[in-house]
Amino acid sequence: MPVFNKESKLSDVILHDPSVIQVVNRFDIYLGVGDSTIRNACESHGIDEDLFLAIINTYLNRTYIPSGIEGKVNLKGVLDYLEKTDRYYISALLPNIERHFALLLSKSDSDGGRSNLFLLKQFFLEVKEEMSASIESDLEFWFPLLRQGDWGLPEREEGRKPYDRHMLEEKLSDLINFFVIHLRGEYDRNLCVAVVSALATLEKDIQQNNRIRERILKPLCQG
């Protein structure tokens, strides 16, 4: 897996793994990047290069561990990125999955109890509720706290456990596995693919952003 630097072409980064488009978008950079290097793109958009590279490389490379980020990467920039990520989940990804689920159910045969799609949707709604609560905790409690520099607050406050979204990864993985292994009944195959693809996109993005939380955010807060 390559490690990108300031002279890497941004188009090469995107073509290497198109899932990074949503990360680049969170920096207000959109497709049509031309031959710009990461340095050029960051300069023209007023983005901190070290922050951009730390996030991009950590997101794309599961073995990459950024070094020397204390005093080099801006905490506020990391929080801004993660806040945009949270808001994207709430405004786009979760509603998109729910819409596809509703269409899938409307075009599937549930007669005779053969289909278990309704149960799978209920499982998704439970995951959505848990994820929404986690995002609310980020936006209303943890991110404002960290912007004030109060990382050391004890975690004794009920319901305020920061950053651990591995359980969400596991539940989304379970949901995808149920589709693949245990789905029953008659259903619209194209809509089913759309639902599973959207779930896989969400699972992957959460997993990769968990790395950013663990390898960039936590060291900055604890340094």
Side-chain angles (χ1 to χ4, degrees), residues 52-203:
F52 187 85
L53 284 168
I55 286 179
I56 289 292
N57 283 313
T58 303
Y59 185 90
L60 290 174
N61 193 331
R62 69 179 60 194
T63 63
Y64 178 79
I65 300 177
S67 60
I69 60 173
E70 295 86 353
K72 186 177 180 182
V73 172
N74 183 272
L75 174 61
K76 179 183 179 299
V78 179
L79 292 172
D80 288 347
Y81 167 82
L82 291 172
E83 181 172 331
K84 286 184 178 181
T85 301
D86 276 348
R87 294 192 185 281
Y88 177 67
Y89 292 154
I90 289 293
S91 67
L93 280 186
L94 289 172
N96 180 57
I97 296 171
E98 195 162 4
R99 281 193 300 271
H100 280 89
F101 245 125
L103 280 171
L104 178 58
L105 281 167
S106 72
K107 294 182 179 295
S108 300
D109 179 16
S110 59
D111 291 343
R114 292 189 300 273
S115 174
N116 52 4
L117 276 172
F118 180 77
L119 293 176
L120 294 177
K121 185 181 180 184
Q122 290 303 113
F123 186 12
F124 165 72
L125 292 176
E126 291 174 13
V127 174
K128 177 188 173 186
E129 183 177 354
E130 182 178 336
M131 189 170 174
S132 298
S134 176
I135 289 172
E136 180 182 358
S137 185
D138 272 356
L139 300 180
E140 296 186 5
F141 183 78
W142 285 107
F143 289 173
L145 194 72
L146 295 178
R147 284 190 171 96
Q148 297 168 13
D150 293 332
W151 172 253
L153 186 75
E155 293 179 31
R156 60 178 177 269
E157 190 163 341
E158 185 178 357
R160 299 295 189 181
K161 296 179 180 179
Y163 312 133
D164 184 7
R165 295 198 174 168
H166 295 292
M167 188 64 70
L168 288 172
E169 287 182 44
E170 293 172 7
K171 288 184 176 181
L172 285 168
S173 178
D174 287 342
L175 183 52
I176 293 168
N177 286 337
F178 287 148
F179 265 98
V180 172
I181 300 170
H182 301 295
L183 185 60
R184 301 193 309 266
E186 297 295 324
Y187 55 87
D188 185 294
R189 290 174 176 79
N190 289 331
L191 286 172
C192 191
V193 170
V195 171
V196 174
S197 296
L199 289 169
T201 295
L202 177 59
E203 180 199 20

